[in-house]
PDB file of all heavy atoms in Angstrom:
ATOM      1  N   SER A   1       0.839  -1.226  -0.052  1.00 97.00           N
ATOM      2  CA  SER A   1      -0.002  -0.074   0.027  1.00 97.00           C
ATOM      3  C   SER A   1       0.879   1.181   0.013  1.00 97.00           C
ATOM      4  O   SER A   1       2.030   1.112   0.299  1.00 97.00           O
ATOM      5  CB  SER A   1      -0.925   0.050   1.246  1.00 97.00           C
ATOM      6  OG  SER A   1      -0.220   0.026   2.486  1.00 97.00           O
ATOM      7  N   GLY A   2       0.383   2.364  -0.214  1.00 97.00           N
ATOM      8  CA  GLY A   2       0.988   3.581  -0.248  1.00 97.00           C
ATOM      9  C   GLY A   2       1.371   4.329  -1.418  1.00 97.00           C
ATOM     10  O   GLY A   2       1.932   5.458  -1.475  1.00 97.00           O
ATOM     11  N   GLY A   3       1.262   3.614  -2.557  1.00 98.00           N
ATOM     12  CA  GLY A   3       1.642   4.222  -3.795  1.00 98.00           C
ATOM     13  C   GLY A   3       0.581   5.402  -4.297  1.00 98.00           C
ATOM     14  O   GLY A   3      -0.496   5.538  -3.645  1.00 98.00           O
ATOM     15  N   GLY A   4       0.969   6.196  -5.227  1.00 98.00           N
ATOM     16  CA  GLY A   4       0.163   7.182  -5.659  1.00 98.00           C
ATOM     17  C   GLY A   4       0.914   8.193  -6.496  1.00 98.00           C
ATOM     18  O   GLY A   4       1.939   7.856  -7.034  1.00 98.00           O
ATOM     19  N   LEU A   5       0.276   9.266  -6.672  1.00 98.00           N
ATOM     20  CA  LEU A   5       0.839  10.315  -7.513  1.00 98.00           C
ATOM     21  C   LEU A   5       1.414  11.377  -6.700  1.00 98.00           C
ATOM     22  O   LEU A   5       0.771  11.883  -5.814  1.00 98.00           O
ATOM     23  CB  LEU A   5      -0.290  11.029  -8.424  1.00 98.00           C
ATOM     24  CG  LEU A   5       0.103  12.151  -9.306  1.00 98.00           C
ATOM     25  CD1 LEU A   5       1.143  11.763 -10.382  1.00 98.00           C
ATOM     26  CD2 LEU A   5      -1.240  12.714  -9.985  1.00 98.00           C
ATOM     27  N   VAL A   6       2.635  11.816  -6.970  1.00 98.00           N
ATOM     28  CA  VAL A   6       3.290  12.829  -6.209  1.00 98.00           C
ATOM     29  C   VAL A   6       4.091  13.783  -7.163  1.00 98.00           C
ATOM     30  O   VAL A   6       4.512  13.226  -8.113  1.00 98.00           O
ATOM     31  CB  VAL A   6       4.089  12.199  -5.080  1.00 98.00           C
ATOM     32  CG1 VAL A   6       5.289  11.428  -5.765  1.00 98.00           C
ATOM     33  CG2 VAL A   6       4.849  13.303  -4.213  1.00 98.00           C
ATOM     34  N   GLU A   7       4.361  14.910  -6.729  1.00 98.00           N
ATOM     35  CA  GLU A   7       5.126  15.863  -7.500  1.00 98.00           C
ATOM     36  C   GLU A   7       6.586  15.556  -7.299  1.00 98.00           C
ATOM     37  O   GLU A   7       6.994  15.126  -6.291  1.00 98.00           O
ATOM     38  CB  GLU A   7       4.726  17.343  -7.141  1.00 98.00           C
ATOM     39  CG  GLU A   7       3.456  17.805  -7.493  1.00 98.00           C
ATOM     40  CD  GLU A   7       3.138  19.323  -7.090  1.00 98.00           C
ATOM     41  OE1 GLU A   7       3.985  19.841  -6.512  1.00 98.00           O
ATOM     42  OE2 GLU A   7       1.924  19.753  -7.449  1.00 98.00           O
ATOM     43  N   ALA A   8       7.389  15.900  -8.259  1.00 98.00           N
ATOM     44  CA  ALA A   8       8.865  15.905  -8.124  1.00 98.00           C
ATOM     45  C   ALA A   8       9.302  16.493  -6.887  1.00 98.00           C
ATOM     46  O   ALA A   8       8.808  17.659  -6.560  1.00 98.00           O
ATOM     47  CB  ALA A   8       9.545  16.331  -9.375  1.00 98.00           C
ATOM     48  N   GLY A   9      10.224  15.969  -6.147  1.00 98.00           N
ATOM     49  CA  GLY A   9      10.638  16.530  -4.807  1.00 98.00           C
ATOM     50  C   GLY A   9       9.898  16.105  -3.650  1.00 98.00           C
ATOM     51  O   GLY A   9      10.329  16.330  -2.474  1.00 98.00           O
ATOM     52  N   GLY A  10       8.717  15.514  -3.874  1.00 98.00           N
ATOM     53  CA  GLY A  10       7.841  15.049  -2.721  1.00 98.00           C
ATOM     54  C   GLY A  10       8.215  13.758  -2.253  1.00 98.00           C
ATOM     55  O   GLY A  10       9.261  13.165  -2.543  1.00 98.00           O
ATOM     56  N   SER A  11       7.326  13.234  -1.374  1.00 98.00           N
ATOM     57  CA  SER A  11       7.646  11.932  -0.548  1.00 98.00           C
ATOM     58  C   SER A  11       6.476  11.026  -0.628  1.00 98.00           C
ATOM     59  O   SER A  11       5.292  11.518  -0.819  1.00 98.00           O
ATOM     60  CB  SER A  11       7.966  12.336   0.851  1.00 98.00           C
ATOM     61  OG  SER A  11       9.249  13.165   0.865  1.00 98.00           O
ATOM     62  N   LEU A  12       6.736   9.724  -0.624  1.00 98.00           N
ATOM     63  CA  LEU A  12       5.766   8.816  -0.345  1.00 98.00           C
ATOM     64  C   LEU A  12       6.353   7.716   0.600  1.00 98.00           C
ATOM     65  O   LEU A  12       7.532   7.484   0.660  1.00 98.00           O
ATOM     66  CB  LEU A  12       5.378   8.023  -1.690  1.00 98.00           C
ATOM     67  CG  LEU A  12       4.439   8.918  -2.732  1.00 98.00           C
ATOM     68  CD1 LEU A  12       4.355   8.026  -4.026  1.00 98.00           C
ATOM     69  CD2 LEU A  12       3.104   8.961  -2.045  1.00 98.00           C
ATOM     70  N   ARG A  13       5.417   6.987   1.289  1.00 98.00           N
ATOM     71  CA  ARG A  13       5.840   6.013   2.116  1.00 98.00           C
ATOM     72  C   ARG A  13       5.063   4.718   1.784  1.00 98.00           C
ATOM     73  O   ARG A  13       3.832   4.670   1.833  1.00 98.00           O
ATOM     74  CB  ARG A  13       5.578   6.379   3.552  1.00 98.00           C
ATOM     75  CG  ARG A  13       5.983   5.271   4.539  1.00 98.00           C
ATOM     76  CD  ARG A  13       5.838   5.786   6.060  1.00 98.00           C
ATOM     77  NE  ARG A  13       6.260   4.849   7.062  1.00 98.00           N
ATOM     78  CZ  ARG A  13       5.277   4.142   7.821  1.00 98.00           C
ATOM     79  NH1 ARG A  13       4.082   4.365   7.576  1.00 98.00           N
ATOM     80  NH2 ARG A  13       5.859   3.345   8.744  1.00 98.00           N
ATOM     81  N   LEU A  14       5.782   3.682   1.223  1.00 98.00           N
ATOM     82  CA  LEU A  14       5.231   2.435   0.918  1.00 98.00           C
ATOM     83  C   LEU A  14       5.253   1.552   2.091  1.00 98.00           C
ATOM     84  O   LEU A  14       6.137   1.551   2.802  1.00 98.00           O
ATOM     85  CB  LEU A  14       5.849   1.817  -0.223  1.00 98.00           C
ATOM     86  CG  LEU A  14       6.031   2.650  -1.583  1.00 98.00           C
ATOM     87  CD1 LEU A  14       6.694   1.868  -2.604  1.00 98.00           C
ATOM     88  CD2 LEU A  14       4.735   3.163  -1.997  1.00 98.00           C
ATOM     89  N   SER A  15       4.203   0.584   2.165  1.00 98.00           N
ATOM     90  CA  SER A  15       4.155  -0.382   3.206  1.00 98.00           C
ATOM     91  C   SER A  15       3.880  -1.711   2.574  1.00 98.00           C
ATOM     92  O   SER A  15       3.135  -1.850   1.506  1.00 98.00           O
ATOM     93  CB  SER A  15       2.960   0.002   4.260  1.00 98.00           C
ATOM     94  OG  SER A  15       3.195   1.181   4.827  1.00 98.00           O
ATOM     95  N   CYS A  16       4.369  -2.758   3.118  1.00 98.00           N
ATOM     96  CA  CYS A  16       4.072  -4.177   2.709  1.00 98.00           C
ATOM     97  C   CYS A  16       3.986  -5.039   4.011  1.00 98.00           C
ATOM     98  O   CYS A  16       4.931  -5.174   4.754  1.00 98.00           O
ATOM     99  CB  CYS A  16       5.199  -4.612   1.864  1.00 98.00           C
ATOM    100  SG  CYS A  16       5.079  -6.408   1.317  1.00 98.00           S
ATOM    101  N   ALA A  17       2.877  -5.793   3.993  1.00 97.00           N
ATOM    102  CA  ALA A  17       2.634  -6.615   5.142  1.00 97.00           C
ATOM    103  C   ALA A  17       2.688  -8.051   4.618  1.00 97.00           C
ATOM    104  O   ALA A  17       1.931  -8.481   3.692  1.00 97.00           O
ATOM    105  CB  ALA A  17       1.277  -6.347   5.766  1.00 97.00           C
ATOM    106  N   GLY A  18       3.517  -8.855   5.159  1.00 96.00           N
ATOM    107  CA  GLY A  18       3.652 -10.319   4.835  1.00 96.00           C
ATOM    108  C   GLY A  18       2.970 -11.135   5.921  1.00 96.00           C
ATOM    109  O   GLY A  18       2.844 -10.824   6.995  1.00 96.00           O
ATOM    110  N   SER A  19       2.355 -12.222   5.445  1.00 96.00           N
ATOM    111  CA  SER A  19       1.721 -13.124   6.196  1.00 96.00           C
ATOM    112  C   SER A  19       1.739 -14.539   5.647  1.00 96.00           C
ATOM    113  O   SER A  19       2.114 -14.758   4.516  1.00 96.00           O
ATOM    114  CB  SER A  19       0.326 -12.793   6.433  1.00 96.00           C
ATOM    115  OG  SER A  19      -0.424 -12.766   5.158  1.00 96.00           O
ATOM    116  N   GLY A  20       1.416 -15.582   6.503  1.00 95.00           N
ATOM    117  CA  GLY A  20       1.400 -16.907   6.141  1.00 95.00           C
ATOM    118  C   GLY A  20       2.485 -17.710   6.476  1.00 95.00           C
ATOM    119  O   GLY A  20       2.510 -18.980   6.425  1.00 95.00           O
ATOM    120  N   ARG A  21       3.738 -17.051   6.968  1.00 94.00           N
ATOM    121  CA  ARG A  21       4.919 -17.772   7.279  1.00 94.00           C
ATOM    122  C   ARG A  21       5.901 -16.838   7.699  1.00 94.00           C
ATOM    123  O   ARG A  21       5.712 -15.530   7.730  1.00 94.00           O
ATOM    124  CB  ARG A  21       5.472 -18.724   6.178  1.00 94.00           C
ATOM    125  CG  ARG A  21       5.961 -17.916   4.946  1.00 94.00           C
ATOM    126  CD  ARG A  21       6.994 -18.720   4.161  1.00 94.00           C
ATOM    127  NE  ARG A  21       8.320 -18.857   4.889  1.00 94.00           N
ATOM    128  CZ  ARG A  21       9.049 -19.899   4.764  1.00 94.00           C
ATOM    129  NH1 ARG A  21       8.709 -21.013   4.181  1.00 94.00           N
ATOM    130  NH2 ARG A  21      10.015 -19.914   5.524  1.00 94.00           N
ATOM    131  N   THR A  22       7.183 -17.158   8.156  1.00 94.00           N
ATOM    132  CA  THR A  22       8.255 -16.325   8.481  1.00 94.00           C
ATOM    133  C   THR A  22       9.023 -16.102   7.216  1.00 94.00           C
ATOM    134  O   THR A  22       8.997 -16.736   6.209  1.00 94.00           O
ATOM    135  CB  THR A  22       9.155 -16.965   9.584  1.00 94.00           C
ATOM    136  OG1 THR A  22       9.699 -18.205   8.997  1.00 94.00           O
ATOM    137  CG2 THR A  22       8.389 -17.332  10.841  1.00 94.00           C
ATOM    138  N   PHE A  23       9.617 -14.898   7.307  1.00 95.00           N
ATOM    139  CA  PHE A  23      10.504 -14.492   6.184  1.00 95.00           C
ATOM    140  C   PHE A  23      11.859 -14.057   6.725  1.00 95.00           C
ATOM    141  O   PHE A  23      12.025 -13.406   7.738  1.00 95.00           O
ATOM    142  CB  PHE A  23       9.800 -13.209   5.504  1.00 95.00           C
ATOM    143  CG  PHE A  23       8.611 -13.478   5.078  1.00 95.00           C
ATOM    144  CD1 PHE A  23       7.315 -13.046   5.827  1.00 95.00           C
ATOM    145  CD2 PHE A  23       8.226 -14.107   3.900  1.00 95.00           C
ATOM    146  CE1 PHE A  23       6.044 -13.153   5.410  1.00 95.00           C
ATOM    147  CE2 PHE A  23       6.958 -14.281   3.528  1.00 95.00           C
ATOM    148  CZ  PHE A  23       5.882 -13.949   4.278  1.00 95.00           C
ATOM    149  N   TYR A  24      12.923 -14.377   6.013  1.00 96.00           N
ATOM    150  CA  TYR A  24      14.214 -14.075   6.273  1.00 96.00           C
ATOM    151  C   TYR A  24      14.552 -12.621   5.919  1.00 96.00           C
ATOM    152  O   TYR A  24      15.204 -11.837   6.649  1.00 96.00           O
ATOM    153  CB  TYR A  24      15.354 -14.903   5.595  1.00 96.00           C
ATOM    154  CG  TYR A  24      16.631 -14.577   5.847  1.00 96.00           C
ATOM    155  CD1 TYR A  24      17.379 -14.799   7.037  1.00 96.00           C
ATOM    156  CD2 TYR A  24      17.411 -13.808   4.955  1.00 96.00           C
ATOM    157  CE1 TYR A  24      18.749 -14.278   7.298  1.00 96.00           C
ATOM    158  CE2 TYR A  24      18.698 -13.332   5.105  1.00 96.00           C
ATOM    159  CZ  TYR A  24      19.361 -13.605   6.297  1.00 96.00           C
ATOM    160  OH  TYR A  24      20.580 -13.189   6.468  1.00 96.00           O
ATOM    161  N   ALA A  25      14.023 -12.187   4.739  1.00 97.00           N
ATOM    162  CA  ALA A  25      14.384 -10.803   4.197  1.00 97.00           C
ATOM    163  C   ALA A  25      13.090 -10.394   3.525  1.00 97.00           C
ATOM    164  O   ALA A  25      12.366 -11.181   2.882  1.00 97.00           O
ATOM    165  CB  ALA A  25      15.557 -10.835   3.427  1.00 97.00           C
ATOM    166  N   MET A  26      12.997  -9.096   3.473  1.00 97.00           N
ATOM    167  CA  MET A  26      11.920  -8.450   2.601  1.00 97.00           C
ATOM    168  C   MET A  26      12.511  -7.225   2.027  1.00 97.00           C
ATOM    169  O   MET A  26      13.445  -6.684   2.450  1.00 97.00           O
ATOM    170  CB  MET A  26      10.703  -8.072   3.526  1.00 97.00           C
ATOM    171  CG  MET A  26      10.060  -9.304   4.110  1.00 97.00           C
ATOM    172  SD  MET A  26       8.652  -8.864   5.150  1.00 97.00           S
ATOM    173  CE  MET A  26       7.390  -8.225   3.920  1.00 97.00           C
ATOM    174  N   GLY A  27      11.917  -6.922   0.922  1.00 97.00           N
ATOM    175  CA  GLY A  27      12.441  -5.702   0.125  1.00 97.00           C
ATOM    176  C   GLY A  27      11.561  -5.249  -0.923  1.00 97.00           C
ATOM    177  O   GLY A  27      10.386  -5.602  -1.051  1.00 97.00           O
ATOM    178  N   TRP A  28      12.134  -4.423  -1.819  1.00 98.00           N
ATOM    179  CA  TRP A  28      11.357  -3.740  -2.767  1.00 98.00           C
ATOM    180  C   TRP A  28      12.135  -3.752  -4.044  1.00 98.00           C
ATOM    181  O   TRP A  28      13.339  -3.404  -4.129  1.00 98.00           O
ATOM    182  CB  TRP A  28      11.031  -2.254  -2.442  1.00 98.00           C
ATOM    183  CG  TRP A  28      10.278  -2.028  -1.240  1.00 98.00           C
ATOM    184  CD1 TRP A  28      10.716  -1.970   0.069  1.00 98.00           C
ATOM    185  CD2 TRP A  28       8.905  -2.021  -1.241  1.00 98.00           C
ATOM    186  NE1 TRP A  28       9.573  -1.831   0.909  1.00 98.00           N
ATOM    187  CE2 TRP A  28       8.449  -1.804   0.175  1.00 98.00           C
ATOM    188  CE3 TRP A  28       7.832  -2.052  -2.159  1.00 98.00           C
ATOM    189  CZ2 TRP A  28       7.081  -1.769   0.473  1.00 98.00           C
ATOM    190  CZ3 TRP A  28       6.460  -1.949  -1.715  1.00 98.00           C
ATOM    191  CH2 TRP A  28       6.109  -1.806  -0.330  1.00 98.00           C
ATOM    192  N   PHE A  29      11.323  -4.073  -5.218  1.00 98.00           N
ATOM    193  CA  PHE A  29      11.870  -3.945  -6.513  1.00 98.00           C
ATOM    194  C   PHE A  29      10.913  -2.905  -7.218  1.00 98.00           C
ATOM    195  O   PHE A  29       9.799  -2.640  -6.774  1.00 98.00           O
ATOM    196  CB  PHE A  29      11.877  -5.258  -7.261  1.00 98.00           C
ATOM    197  CG  PHE A  29      12.959  -6.115  -6.835  1.00 98.00           C
ATOM    198  CD1 PHE A  29      13.031  -6.773  -5.592  1.00 98.00           C
ATOM    199  CD2 PHE A  29      13.992  -6.382  -7.787  1.00 98.00           C
ATOM    200  CE1 PHE A  29      14.013  -7.532  -5.308  1.00 98.00           C
ATOM    201  CE2 PHE A  29      15.080  -7.311  -7.442  1.00 98.00           C
ATOM    202  CZ  PHE A  29      15.063  -7.944  -6.115  1.00 98.00           C
ATOM    203  N   ARG A  30      11.415  -2.342  -8.420  1.00 98.00           N
ATOM    204  CA  ARG A  30      10.520  -1.614  -9.156  1.00 98.00           C
ATOM    205  C   ARG A  30      10.677  -1.898 -10.668  1.00 98.00           C
ATOM    206  O   ARG A  30      11.706  -2.406 -11.178  1.00 98.00           O
ATOM    207  CB  ARG A  30      10.722  -0.074  -8.965  1.00 98.00           C
ATOM    208  CG  ARG A  30      12.064   0.406  -9.362  1.00 98.00           C
ATOM    209  CD  ARG A  30      12.340   1.775  -8.958  1.00 98.00           C
ATOM    210  NE  ARG A  30      13.643   2.406  -9.358  1.00 98.00           N
ATOM    211  CZ  ARG A  30      14.012   3.576  -8.930  1.00 98.00           C
ATOM    212  NH1 ARG A  30      13.407   4.321  -8.148  1.00 98.00           N
ATOM    213  NH2 ARG A  30      15.220   3.894  -9.389  1.00 98.00           N
ATOM    214  N   GLN A  31       9.636  -1.646 -11.343  1.00 98.00           N
ATOM    215  CA  GLN A  31       9.638  -1.986 -12.959  1.00 98.00           C
ATOM    216  C   GLN A  31       8.848  -0.982 -13.780  1.00 98.00           C
ATOM    217  O   GLN A  31       7.775  -0.555 -13.410  1.00 98.00           O
ATOM    218  CB  GLN A  31       8.937  -3.389 -13.097  1.00 98.00           C
ATOM    219  CG  GLN A  31       9.157  -3.931 -14.521  1.00 98.00           C
ATOM    220  CD  GLN A  31       8.879  -5.362 -14.567  1.00 98.00           C
ATOM    221  OE1 GLN A  31       8.117  -5.922 -13.778  1.00 98.00           O
ATOM    222  NE2 GLN A  31       9.459  -6.136 -15.544  1.00 98.00           N
ATOM    223  N   CYS A  32       9.530  -0.591 -14.717  1.00 95.00           N
ATOM    224  CA  CYS A  32       8.822   0.251 -15.775  1.00 95.00           C
ATOM    225  C   CYS A  32       8.578  -0.461 -16.947  1.00 95.00           C
ATOM    226  O   CYS A  32       9.233  -1.521 -17.270  1.00 95.00           O
ATOM    227  CB  CYS A  32       9.798   1.488 -16.134  1.00 95.00           C
ATOM    228  SG  CYS A  32      10.181   2.538 -14.805  1.00 95.00           S
ATOM    229  N   PRO A  33       7.594   0.034 -17.740  1.00 89.00           N
ATOM    230  CA  PRO A  33       7.251  -0.782 -19.007  1.00 89.00           C
ATOM    231  C   PRO A  33       8.514  -0.959 -19.834  1.00 89.00           C
ATOM    232  O   PRO A  33       9.223  -0.014 -20.122  1.00 89.00           O
ATOM    233  CB  PRO A  33       6.201   0.071 -19.592  1.00 89.00           C
ATOM    234  CG  PRO A  33       5.540   0.716 -18.466  1.00 89.00           C
ATOM    235  CD  PRO A  33       6.702   1.015 -17.514  1.00 89.00           C
ATOM    236  N   GLY A  34       8.746  -2.158 -20.337  1.00 92.00           N
ATOM    237  CA  GLY A  34       9.826  -2.392 -21.313  1.00 92.00           C
ATOM    238  C   GLY A  34      11.217  -2.684 -20.517  1.00 92.00           C
ATOM    239  O   GLY A  34      12.287  -2.847 -21.198  1.00 92.00           O
ATOM    240  N   LYS A  35      11.199  -2.575 -19.313  1.00 95.00           N
ATOM    241  CA  LYS A  35      12.507  -2.783 -18.528  1.00 95.00           C
ATOM    242  C   LYS A  35      12.231  -3.893 -17.529  1.00 95.00           C
ATOM    243  O   LYS A  35      11.340  -4.359 -17.186  1.00 95.00           O
ATOM    244  CB  LYS A  35      12.702  -1.427 -17.745  1.00 95.00           C
ATOM    245  CG  LYS A  35      12.972  -0.195 -18.592  1.00 95.00           C
ATOM    246  CD  LYS A  35      13.464   0.958 -17.678  1.00 95.00           C
ATOM    247  CE  LYS A  35      13.728   2.243 -18.498  1.00 95.00           C
ATOM    248  NZ  LYS A  35      14.146   3.414 -17.710  1.00 95.00           N
ATOM    249  N   GLU A  36      13.508  -4.457 -17.225  1.00 95.00           N
ATOM    250  CA  GLU A  36      13.654  -5.517 -16.249  1.00 95.00           C
ATOM    251  C   GLU A  36      13.194  -5.004 -14.782  1.00 95.00           C
ATOM    252  O   GLU A  36      13.508  -3.774 -14.459  1.00 95.00           O
ATOM    253  CB  GLU A  36      14.941  -6.254 -16.225  1.00 95.00           C
ATOM    254  CG  GLU A  36      15.234  -6.871 -17.563  1.00 95.00           C
ATOM    255  CD  GLU A  36      16.573  -7.600 -17.467  1.00 95.00           C
ATOM    256  OE1 GLU A  36      17.306  -7.395 -16.484  1.00 95.00           O
ATOM    257  OE2 GLU A  36      16.898  -8.288 -18.412  1.00 95.00           O
ATOM    258  N   ARG A  37      12.777  -5.791 -14.051  1.00 97.00           N
ATOM    259  CA  ARG A  37      12.504  -5.440 -12.630  1.00 97.00           C
ATOM    260  C   ARG A  37      13.889  -5.107 -11.971  1.00 97.00           C
ATOM    261  O   ARG A  37      14.849  -5.915 -12.042  1.00 97.00           O
ATOM    262  CB  ARG A  37      11.875  -6.723 -11.925  1.00 97.00           C
ATOM    263  CG  ARG A  37      11.205  -6.270 -10.580  1.00 97.00           C
ATOM    264  CD  ARG A  37      10.221  -7.341 -10.032  1.00 97.00           C
ATOM    265  NE  ARG A  37       9.104  -7.505 -10.986  1.00 97.00           N
ATOM    266  CZ  ARG A  37       8.047  -8.275 -10.597  1.00 97.00           C
ATOM    267  NH1 ARG A  37       7.997  -8.967  -9.570  1.00 97.00           N
ATOM    268  NH2 ARG A  37       7.060  -8.258 -11.615  1.00 97.00           N
ATOM    269  N   GLU A  38      13.942  -4.054 -11.227  1.00 98.00           N
ATOM    270  CA  GLU A  38      15.083  -3.586 -10.668  1.00 98.00           C
ATOM    271  C   GLU A  38      15.013  -3.475  -9.213  1.00 98.00           C
ATOM    272  O   GLU A  38      14.112  -3.116  -8.554  1.00 98.00           O
ATOM    273  CB  GLU A  38      15.356  -2.051 -11.229  1.00 98.00           C
ATOM    274  CG  GLU A  38      16.415  -1.323 -10.571  1.00 98.00           C
ATOM    275  CD  GLU A  38      16.308   0.239 -10.912  1.00 98.00           C
ATOM    276  OE1 GLU A  38      15.303   0.714 -11.241  1.00 98.00           O
ATOM    277  OE2 GLU A  38      17.473   0.888 -10.943  1.00 98.00           O
ATOM    278  N   PHE A  39      16.265  -3.997  -8.595  1.00 98.00           N
ATOM    279  CA  PHE A  39      16.263  -3.870  -7.083  1.00 98.00           C
ATOM    280  C   PHE A  39      16.273  -2.500  -6.626  1.00 98.00           C
ATOM    281  O   PHE A  39      16.944  -1.543  -7.148  1.00 98.00           O
ATOM    282  CB  PHE A  39      17.612  -4.582  -6.639  1.00 98.00           C
ATOM    283  CG  PHE A  39      17.809  -4.482  -5.154  1.00 98.00           C
ATOM    284  CD1 PHE A  39      17.267  -5.353  -4.299  1.00 98.00           C
ATOM    285  CD2 PHE A  39      18.783  -3.559  -4.708  1.00 98.00           C
ATOM    286  CE1 PHE A  39      17.513  -5.346  -2.942  1.00 98.00           C
ATOM    287  CE2 PHE A  39      18.982  -3.563  -3.363  1.00 98.00           C
ATOM    288  CZ  PHE A  39      18.375  -4.304  -2.557  1.00 98.00           C
ATOM    289  N   VAL A  40      15.626  -2.187  -5.589  1.00 98.00           N
ATOM    290  CA  VAL A  40      15.640  -0.956  -4.797  1.00 98.00           C
ATOM    291  C   VAL A  40      16.185  -0.988  -3.392  1.00 98.00           C
ATOM    292  O   VAL A  40      17.195  -0.257  -3.175  1.00 98.00           O
ATOM    293  CB  VAL A  40      14.048  -0.468  -4.758  1.00 98.00           C
ATOM    294  CG1 VAL A  40      14.031   0.940  -4.033  1.00 98.00           C
ATOM    295  CG2 VAL A  40      13.533  -0.295  -6.092  1.00 98.00           C
ATOM    296  N   ALA A  41      15.694  -1.764  -2.659  1.00 98.00           N
ATOM    297  CA  ALA A  41      16.158  -1.920  -1.194  1.00 98.00           C
ATOM    298  C   ALA A  41      15.741  -3.203  -0.581  1.00 98.00           C
ATOM    299  O   ALA A  41      14.657  -3.745  -1.033  1.00 98.00           O
ATOM    300  CB  ALA A  41      15.778  -0.697  -0.402  1.00 98.00           C
ATOM    301  N   ALA A  42      16.363  -3.629   0.470  1.00 98.00           N
ATOM    302  CA  ALA A  42      15.925  -4.752   1.161  1.00 98.00           C
ATOM    303  C   ALA A  42      16.513  -4.748   2.646  1.00 98.00           C
ATOM    304  O   ALA A  42      17.369  -4.109   2.875  1.00 98.00           O
ATOM    305  CB  ALA A  42      16.435  -6.129   0.440  1.00 98.00           C
ATOM    306  N   VAL A  43      15.919  -5.506   3.543  1.00 97.00           N
ATOM    307  CA  VAL A  43      16.242  -5.623   4.886  1.00 97.00           C
ATOM    308  C   VAL A  43      16.301  -7.073   5.259  1.00 97.00           C
ATOM    309  O   VAL A  43      15.243  -7.830   4.925  1.00 97.00           O
ATOM    310  CB  VAL A  43      15.433  -4.777   5.791  1.00 97.00           C
ATOM    311  CG1 VAL A  43      13.994  -5.125   5.805  1.00 97.00           C
ATOM    312  CG2 VAL A  43      15.878  -4.925   7.280  1.00 97.00           C
ATOM    313  N   ALA A  44      17.367  -7.502   5.834  1.00 96.00           N
ATOM    314  CA  ALA A  44      17.371  -8.877   6.484  1.00 96.00           C
ATOM    315  C   ALA A  44      16.993  -8.776   7.924  1.00 96.00           C
ATOM    316  O   ALA A  44      17.638  -7.997   8.676  1.00 96.00           O
ATOM    317  CB  ALA A  44      18.841  -9.504   6.322  1.00 96.00           C
TER     318      ALA A  44
END
């Protein structure tokens, strides 16, 4: 959750809730049309 439209220079905060089991690490990727999915950040 947390995506949306923002002006350049602005801020957004994304959230991700995992469930169903334990996780060693979680993170974020992003993808634009015609491009490969790109690593953004992760936390162990």
